[in-house]
Amino acid sequence: MLYTEKVMDHFMNPRNVGEIENADGVGEVGNVKCGDIMRIYIKVDGDQIVDVKFKTFGCGSAIAASSVATELIMGKTIDEALALTNKQVIDELGGLPPVKVHCSVLAEQALKAAIYDYATKNALTFKGLEGYDPDEDHHDHDVVDIEF
Amino acid sequence: MKQIYLDYSATTPVKREVIDTMLPFFTEVYGNASSIHSFGQEAKTVLEQSRKSIAETINATPDTFYFTGGGSESDNWALKGVMRANRKKGNHLITSKIEHHGILHTCTALEKEGFEVTYLDVDAEGMISLEALEAAITDQTVLISIMFINNEIGTMQPVKAIGEIAHKHGVLFHTDAVQAYGNVKIDVNAMNIDLMSVSGHKIYGPKGIGGLYIKKGIRIQNIIEGGAQERNRRAGTENIPGIVGFAKAAVMADEALESHREKLIYLRDKLANGIMATIPYAKYNGHPTERHPGNVNICFEFIEGEALLLSLNAKGIAGSSGSACTSGSLDPSHVLLAIGLPHEIAHGSLRLSIGDFTTEEDVDYTIESLKEIVQKLRLMSPLYDKVLKEGK
Ligand SMILES: Cc1ncc(COP(=O)(O)O)c(C=O)c1O
């Protein structure tokens, strides 16, 4: 099998699918041409992410990475969520094939985009968003984590 | 869980009768067909019988059919062999944009050797234009290579008419008939075919064995040099079990061709119509009538092919897709792009190919499962979201 059991579990039974009405932040990355788009919604109370949902168009690992990322940040503070890396997403999934590493990057970036949206709407600044450029091309298929 | 195999275009299971025919040639008649002793001579006899059986199915004489290591080798041999041997005549080859990589990558290699290749467009149903083909012929054109039936979308080309045009201009015609052989009746003479690639594993025979029909009198170079096998044209100790199995599969396919086609077409149409009637935002790819009897290819909007395949696999259903994620590249399949599908639609492609062991229950179960899966994936998709809200 191409994927770990963990990936298949998150793909077949994705956590936190859907959208949040009146979300405090929404982030979308990827493009249809490449075949993956991730959108993450967050609900924030104080500095805590109290709800998170996602919608993803993409392959099995893109859906699994979205699912795991939302699980990892549920209930965390914004600063903790901003510290999430694609490596953690991969670890949590028990590994991803090299050609699918970009899916984990997309998940990290979709989350950052959602927090950026929240920060912009509320005129807030976060250390983890320093140097963040929302228009940067998040979609780098060449990211290959050599550890996997 | 019940396993439903709907990927017969990728490969087929080997039929019991085929295996039974092959077995003695591993352990009893295992001689080298070039040897003088009786072990060798027995192998030689069955080798030539097999060649004759296969040649008969395509209305060719035995001395025009050569065994190879499969469809890819046959494609390589036909193109490289003919172009290199006919340099004096010209350096131009015409093919199409939807060929199998066995042809396309061989063309790229030939371009590096200095040959010129024209890649014909196809229309939305995957058909080449005969006018465009004729217009592409120059005084340098040596060979036209157009596939008989496309492996992804199932479109069948007007092979006979292509051969007619080729011959009118003194050009040779090769066809990759790997998907067609065993699924449509082929007569190399009546269809104006000069060279034709076929493969064992698509017709319920073994893998790693195929053949190239080469009409008599055609100048062609060898690509596998070595011993004097295959009348000095293709070196290597003959794969006798493979050859015997291929021949058995070919004869069985030929004898049952009509009933095989009837059954497949019935199930194919039931599957395609069932899907198209129950799942919205779907596009049926390929030609409505001129197509492989077992090929169904459909794009589902708003979802991605690999996710579809994994979900189907979880329900025991095996299919394939031309999405980028399954092709291992960034782009969806060249065939889907060539018929003009935008990337986002091509990413959601699904090929289900039916074969001799497919049942009506398999088809019903697949339609039901697919309906659920597509809906589940769409509800997860941000693209479908827009449709729901804006009511496309
Ligand atoms: C149209 C076509 N040509 C060539 C091939 C290659 O044949 P083989 O796998 O025997 O090398 C295939 C199958 O993979 C095919 O579908």
Side-chain angles (χ1 to χ4, degrees), chain B residues 9-11 68-75 98-103 147-152 176-180 197-202 206-211 351:
Chain B
S9 282
T11 195
T68 66
S72 301
E73 184 190 324
S74 302
D75 285 348
I98 60 164
E99 299 295 310
H100 189 267
H101 284 134
I103 294 292
M147 71 200 311
F148 206 126
I149 285 181
N150 181 268
N151 46 301
E152 285 185 49
D176 174 340
V178 168
Q179 293 289 338
S197 306
V198 293
S199 180
H201 72 100
K202 310 280 186 186
K207 295 168 179 59
I209 185 76
R351 179 187 74 181

Short mmCIF file of all heavy atoms in Angstrom, two decimals, chain B residues 9-11 68-75 98-103 147-152 176-180 197-202 206-211 351, ligand 1:
data_model
loop_
_atom_site.label_atom_id
_atom_site.label_comp_id
_atom_site.label_asym_id
_atom_site.label_seq_id
_atom_site.Cartn_x
_atom_site.Cartn_y
_atom_site.Cartn_z
N SER B 9 -7.83 -3.15 -18.62
CA SER B 9 -6.99 -2.48 -19.61
C SER B 9 -5.55 -2.35 -19.11
O SER B 9 -4.63 -2.17 -19.90
CB SER B 9 -7.54 -1.09 -19.94
OG SER B 9 -8.62 -1.22 -20.81
N ALA B 10 -5.37 -2.42 -17.80
CA ALA B 10 -4.00 -2.39 -17.25
C ALA B 10 -3.37 -3.76 -17.46
O ALA B 10 -2.26 -3.89 -17.96
CB ALA B 10 -4.03 -2.04 -15.77
N THR B 11 -4.08 -4.77 -17.07
CA THR B 11 -3.65 -6.14 -17.34
C THR B 11 -4.79 -7.08 -16.99
O THR B 11 -5.76 -6.69 -16.33
CB THR B 11 -2.38 -6.52 -16.55
OG1 THR B 11 -1.82 -7.72 -17.10
CG2 THR B 11 -2.67 -6.75 -15.07
N THR B 68 8.23 -10.84 -29.18
CA THR B 68 9.03 -9.84 -28.45
C THR B 68 8.75 -9.97 -26.96
O THR B 68 7.95 -10.81 -26.56
CB THR B 68 8.65 -8.40 -28.87
OG1 THR B 68 7.29 -8.16 -28.45
CG2 THR B 68 8.74 -8.21 -30.39
N GLY B 69 9.39 -9.12 -26.19
CA GLY B 69 9.17 -9.12 -24.74
C GLY B 69 7.96 -8.31 -24.31
O GLY B 69 7.84 -7.96 -23.14
N GLY B 70 7.06 -7.98 -25.23
CA GLY B 70 5.85 -7.26 -24.86
C GLY B 70 5.54 -6.10 -25.79
O GLY B 70 6.29 -5.83 -26.75
N GLY B 71 4.44 -5.42 -25.49
CA GLY B 71 3.98 -4.32 -26.33
C GLY B 71 4.98 -3.19 -26.43
O GLY B 71 5.19 -2.61 -27.51
N SER B 72 5.62 -2.86 -25.32
CA SER B 72 6.56 -1.74 -25.32
C SER B 72 7.74 -2.03 -26.24
O SER B 72 8.17 -1.17 -27.01
CB SER B 72 7.08 -1.48 -23.91
OG SER B 72 6.01 -1.20 -23.05
N GLU B 73 8.25 -3.25 -26.16
CA GLU B 73 9.37 -3.59 -27.05
C GLU B 73 8.93 -3.55 -28.51
O GLU B 73 9.67 -3.06 -29.38
CB GLU B 73 9.93 -4.98 -26.72
CG GLU B 73 11.17 -5.30 -27.57
CD GLU B 73 11.63 -6.75 -27.47
OE1 GLU B 73 11.53 -7.35 -26.38
OE2 GLU B 73 12.08 -7.29 -28.49
N SER B 74 7.74 -4.03 -28.78
CA SER B 74 7.25 -4.02 -30.16
C SER B 74 7.15 -2.59 -30.68
O SER B 74 7.52 -2.30 -31.82
CB SER B 74 5.88 -4.70 -30.24
OG SER B 74 5.97 -6.03 -29.76
N ASP B 75 6.64 -1.69 -29.85
CA ASP B 75 6.53 -0.28 -30.24
C ASP B 75 7.92 0.30 -30.53
O ASP B 75 8.13 0.99 -31.52
CB ASP B 75 5.86 0.53 -29.13
CG ASP B 75 4.35 0.28 -29.06
OD1 ASP B 75 3.80 -0.32 -30.01
OD2 ASP B 75 3.73 0.70 -28.07
N ILE B 98 -2.05 11.12 -28.46
CA ILE B 98 -2.65 10.28 -27.42
C ILE B 98 -2.06 8.87 -27.37
O ILE B 98 -2.62 7.97 -26.75
CB ILE B 98 -4.18 10.18 -27.57
CG1 ILE B 98 -4.56 9.56 -28.93
CG2 ILE B 98 -4.84 11.54 -27.42
CD1 ILE B 98 -6.00 9.08 -28.98
N GLU B 99 -0.92 8.69 -28.02
CA GLU B 99 -0.31 7.35 -28.02
C GLU B 99 0.14 6.94 -26.62
O GLU B 99 0.36 7.78 -25.74
CB GLU B 99 0.91 7.35 -28.95
CG GLU B 99 0.62 7.67 -30.39
CD GLU B 99 -0.26 6.63 -31.08
OE1 GLU B 99 0.06 5.44 -30.99
OE2 GLU B 99 -1.25 7.04 -31.72
N HIS B 100 0.32 5.66 -26.45
CA HIS B 100 0.91 5.11 -25.23
C HIS B 100 2.35 5.60 -25.13
O HIS B 100 2.98 5.91 -26.15
CB HIS B 100 0.88 3.58 -25.33
CG HIS B 100 1.27 2.87 -24.07
ND1 HIS B 100 2.55 2.48 -23.80
CD2 HIS B 100 0.52 2.48 -23.01
CE1 HIS B 100 2.59 1.87 -22.62
NE2 HIS B 100 1.37 1.87 -22.12
N HIS B 101 2.89 5.65 -23.91
CA HIS B 101 4.27 6.12 -23.75
C HIS B 101 5.27 5.24 -24.49
O HIS B 101 6.35 5.69 -24.84
CB HIS B 101 4.63 6.23 -22.27
CG HIS B 101 4.01 7.46 -21.63
ND1 HIS B 101 3.36 7.42 -20.43
CD2 HIS B 101 3.93 8.73 -22.07
CE1 HIS B 101 2.90 8.64 -20.15
NE2 HIS B 101 3.23 9.44 -21.13
N GLY B 102 4.89 4.00 -24.74
CA GLY B 102 5.75 3.11 -25.54
C GLY B 102 6.05 3.72 -26.91
O GLY B 102 7.12 3.51 -27.48
N ILE B 103 5.11 4.46 -27.43
CA ILE B 103 5.29 5.17 -28.71
C ILE B 103 5.87 6.57 -28.45
O ILE B 103 6.89 6.95 -29.04
CB ILE B 103 3.95 5.30 -29.47
CG1 ILE B 103 3.44 3.93 -29.90
CG2 ILE B 103 4.09 6.25 -30.67
CD1 ILE B 103 4.26 3.23 -30.96
N MET B 147 -2.28 4.57 -32.90
CA MET B 147 -2.77 3.42 -32.12
C MET B 147 -4.17 3.00 -32.56
O MET B 147 -4.98 3.83 -32.98
CB MET B 147 -2.73 3.72 -30.63
CG MET B 147 -3.75 4.72 -30.13
SD MET B 147 -3.29 5.44 -28.51
CE MET B 147 -2.89 4.02 -27.54
N PHE B 148 -4.44 1.72 -32.46
CA PHE B 148 -5.73 1.17 -32.87
C PHE B 148 -6.81 1.62 -31.88
O PHE B 148 -7.80 2.24 -32.25
CB PHE B 148 -5.64 -0.36 -32.91
CG PHE B 148 -6.59 -1.04 -33.85
CD1 PHE B 148 -6.12 -1.94 -34.82
CD2 PHE B 148 -7.95 -0.82 -33.76
CE1 PHE B 148 -7.00 -2.59 -35.68
CE2 PHE B 148 -8.83 -1.46 -34.61
CZ PHE B 148 -8.35 -2.35 -35.57
N ILE B 149 -6.58 1.29 -30.59
CA ILE B 149 -7.53 1.68 -29.55
C ILE B 149 -6.73 2.32 -28.43
O ILE B 149 -5.70 1.79 -27.99
CB ILE B 149 -8.30 0.46 -29.01
CG1 ILE B 149 -9.36 0.00 -30.02
CG2 ILE B 149 -8.97 0.78 -27.67
CD1 ILE B 149 -10.19 -1.18 -29.55
N ASN B 150 -7.22 3.47 -27.96
CA ASN B 150 -6.52 4.16 -26.88
C ASN B 150 -6.74 3.45 -25.54
O ASN B 150 -7.86 3.06 -25.21
CB ASN B 150 -6.97 5.62 -26.80
CG ASN B 150 -6.25 6.36 -25.70
OD1 ASN B 150 -6.71 6.43 -24.57
ND2 ASN B 150 -5.08 6.87 -26.02
N ASN B 151 -5.67 3.35 -24.77
CA ASN B 151 -5.75 2.61 -23.51
C ASN B 151 -6.48 3.35 -22.40
O ASN B 151 -6.98 2.74 -21.48
CB ASN B 151 -4.34 2.22 -23.03
CG ASN B 151 -3.36 3.36 -23.12
OD1 ASN B 151 -3.12 3.93 -24.19
ND2 ASN B 151 -2.79 3.73 -21.99
N GLU B 152 -6.59 4.68 -22.50
CA GLU B 152 -7.27 5.41 -21.42
C GLU B 152 -8.73 5.65 -21.69
O GLU B 152 -9.59 5.36 -20.87
CB GLU B 152 -6.58 6.75 -21.17
CG GLU B 152 -5.27 6.60 -20.44
CD GLU B 152 -4.67 7.95 -20.10
OE1 GLU B 152 -5.40 8.80 -19.56
OE2 GLU B 152 -3.49 8.15 -20.40
N ASP B 176 -0.26 0.47 -32.92
CA ASP B 176 -0.15 -0.16 -31.61
C ASP B 176 -1.52 -0.73 -31.30
O ASP B 176 -2.46 0.00 -30.97
CB ASP B 176 0.27 0.91 -30.58
CG ASP B 176 0.28 0.37 -29.15
OD1 ASP B 176 -0.37 -0.67 -28.90
OD2 ASP B 176 0.91 0.98 -28.29
N ALA B 177 -1.64 -2.05 -31.47
CA ALA B 177 -2.95 -2.70 -31.29
C ALA B 177 -3.02 -3.47 -29.97
O ALA B 177 -3.81 -4.40 -29.83
CB ALA B 177 -3.22 -3.63 -32.47
N VAL B 178 -2.20 -3.03 -29.00
CA VAL B 178 -2.14 -3.75 -27.73
C VAL B 178 -3.52 -3.82 -27.05
O VAL B 178 -3.90 -4.84 -26.50
CB VAL B 178 -1.08 -3.10 -26.79
CG1 VAL B 178 -1.20 -3.63 -25.38
CG2 VAL B 178 0.32 -3.36 -27.34
N GLN B 179 -4.30 -2.72 -27.14
CA GLN B 179 -5.63 -2.73 -26.52
C GLN B 179 -6.69 -3.33 -27.44
O GLN B 179 -7.76 -3.72 -26.98
CB GLN B 179 -6.04 -1.31 -26.13
CG GLN B 179 -5.22 -0.69 -25.01
CD GLN B 179 -5.49 -1.32 -23.66
OE1 GLN B 179 -6.54 -1.92 -23.43
NE2 GLN B 179 -4.54 -1.19 -22.76
N ALA B 180 -6.40 -3.35 -28.73
CA ALA B 180 -7.41 -3.79 -29.69
C ALA B 180 -7.41 -5.30 -29.89
O ALA B 180 -8.47 -5.94 -29.98
CB ALA B 180 -7.19 -3.10 -31.03
N SER B 197 1.83 -3.84 -33.24
CA SER B 197 2.28 -4.32 -31.92
C SER B 197 1.13 -4.97 -31.17
O SER B 197 0.02 -4.43 -31.13
CB SER B 197 2.77 -3.14 -31.07
OG SER B 197 3.75 -2.41 -31.74
N VAL B 198 1.40 -6.12 -30.56
CA VAL B 198 0.42 -6.79 -29.70
C VAL B 198 1.11 -7.28 -28.43
O VAL B 198 2.34 -7.36 -28.38
CB VAL B 198 -0.28 -7.97 -30.42
CG1 VAL B 198 -1.16 -7.48 -31.55
CG2 VAL B 198 0.75 -8.97 -30.95
N SER B 199 0.32 -7.59 -27.42
CA SER B 199 0.88 -7.98 -26.13
C SER B 199 0.05 -9.08 -25.49
O SER B 199 -1.18 -9.09 -25.61
CB SER B 199 0.92 -6.76 -25.21
OG SER B 199 1.46 -7.11 -23.95
N GLY B 200 0.71 -10.02 -24.79
CA GLY B 200 0.02 -11.16 -24.22
C GLY B 200 -0.84 -10.86 -23.00
O GLY B 200 -1.93 -11.41 -22.85
N HIS B 201 -0.36 -9.94 -22.16
CA HIS B 201 -1.03 -9.81 -20.86
C HIS B 201 -2.33 -9.02 -20.88
O HIS B 201 -3.00 -8.91 -19.86
CB HIS B 201 -0.06 -9.25 -19.80
CG HIS B 201 0.27 -7.81 -19.95
ND1 HIS B 201 -0.35 -6.85 -19.19
CD2 HIS B 201 1.16 -7.16 -20.72
CE1 HIS B 201 0.17 -5.67 -19.50
NE2 HIS B 201 1.09 -5.83 -20.44
N LYS B 202 -2.69 -8.49 -22.05
CA LYS B 202 -3.97 -7.78 -22.14
C LYS B 202 -5.08 -8.72 -22.63
O LYS B 202 -6.23 -8.34 -22.70
CB LYS B 202 -3.87 -6.61 -23.11
CG LYS B 202 -2.70 -5.68 -22.89
CD LYS B 202 -2.91 -4.68 -21.79
CE LYS B 202 -1.73 -3.72 -21.75
NZ LYS B 202 -1.79 -2.81 -20.62
N PRO B 206 0.13 -14.44 -20.50
CA PRO B 206 1.16 -14.02 -19.54
C PRO B 206 1.77 -12.64 -19.86
O PRO B 206 1.64 -12.14 -20.96
CB PRO B 206 2.22 -15.11 -19.69
CG PRO B 206 2.00 -15.72 -21.03
CD PRO B 206 0.56 -15.55 -21.36
N LYS B 207 2.41 -12.07 -18.86
CA LYS B 207 3.11 -10.79 -19.02
C LYS B 207 4.50 -11.02 -19.60
O LYS B 207 5.06 -12.12 -19.49
CB LYS B 207 3.21 -10.10 -17.66
CG LYS B 207 1.85 -9.71 -17.10
CD LYS B 207 1.93 -9.28 -15.65
CE LYS B 207 0.58 -8.86 -15.09
NZ LYS B 207 -0.48 -9.90 -15.14
N GLY B 208 5.06 -9.98 -20.20
CA GLY B 208 6.43 -10.08 -20.70
C GLY B 208 6.56 -10.83 -22.01
O GLY B 208 7.64 -11.29 -22.36
N ILE B 209 5.44 -10.99 -22.72
CA ILE B 209 5.50 -11.60 -24.04
C ILE B 209 4.58 -10.80 -24.97
O ILE B 209 3.50 -10.38 -24.57
CB ILE B 209 5.11 -13.10 -24.01
CG1 ILE B 209 5.30 -13.75 -25.38
CG2 ILE B 209 3.68 -13.31 -23.51
CD1 ILE B 209 6.75 -14.04 -25.72
N GLY B 210 5.05 -10.56 -26.16
CA GLY B 210 4.25 -9.82 -27.12
C GLY B 210 4.74 -10.14 -28.50
O GLY B 210 5.48 -11.12 -28.70
N GLY B 211 4.33 -9.34 -29.44
CA GLY B 211 4.76 -9.61 -30.80
C GLY B 211 4.68 -8.40 -31.70
O GLY B 211 4.01 -7.41 -31.37
N ARG B 351 -11.01 5.50 -14.83
CA ARG B 351 -11.18 4.49 -15.89
C ARG B 351 -11.57 3.18 -15.24
O ARG B 351 -10.87 2.69 -14.34
CB ARG B 351 -9.89 4.29 -16.67
CG ARG B 351 -10.04 3.21 -17.76
CD ARG B 351 -8.74 2.87 -18.45
NE ARG B 351 -7.87 2.08 -17.59
CZ ARG B 351 -6.66 1.66 -17.94
NH1 ARG B 351 -6.15 1.99 -19.11
NH2 ARG B 351 -5.93 0.94 -17.11
C1 LIG C 1 -1.75 0.88 -26.01
C2 LIG C 1 -0.64 0.18 -25.29
N1 LIG C 1 0.56 0.07 -25.87
C3 LIG C 1 1.58 -0.55 -25.27
C4 LIG C 1 1.46 -1.11 -24.02
C5 LIG C 1 2.63 -1.77 -23.41
O1 LIG C 1 2.54 -3.15 -23.46
P1 LIG C 1 3.44 -4.06 -22.50
O2 LIG C 1 2.96 -3.81 -21.12
O3 LIG C 1 3.22 -5.46 -22.97
O4 LIG C 1 4.86 -3.61 -22.69
C6 LIG C 1 0.21 -1.00 -23.37
C7 LIG C 1 -0.02 -1.54 -22.01
O5 LIG C 1 0.55 -1.22 -21.03
C8 LIG C 1 -0.85 -0.34 -24.02
O6 LIG C 1 -2.04 -0.21 -23.43
#
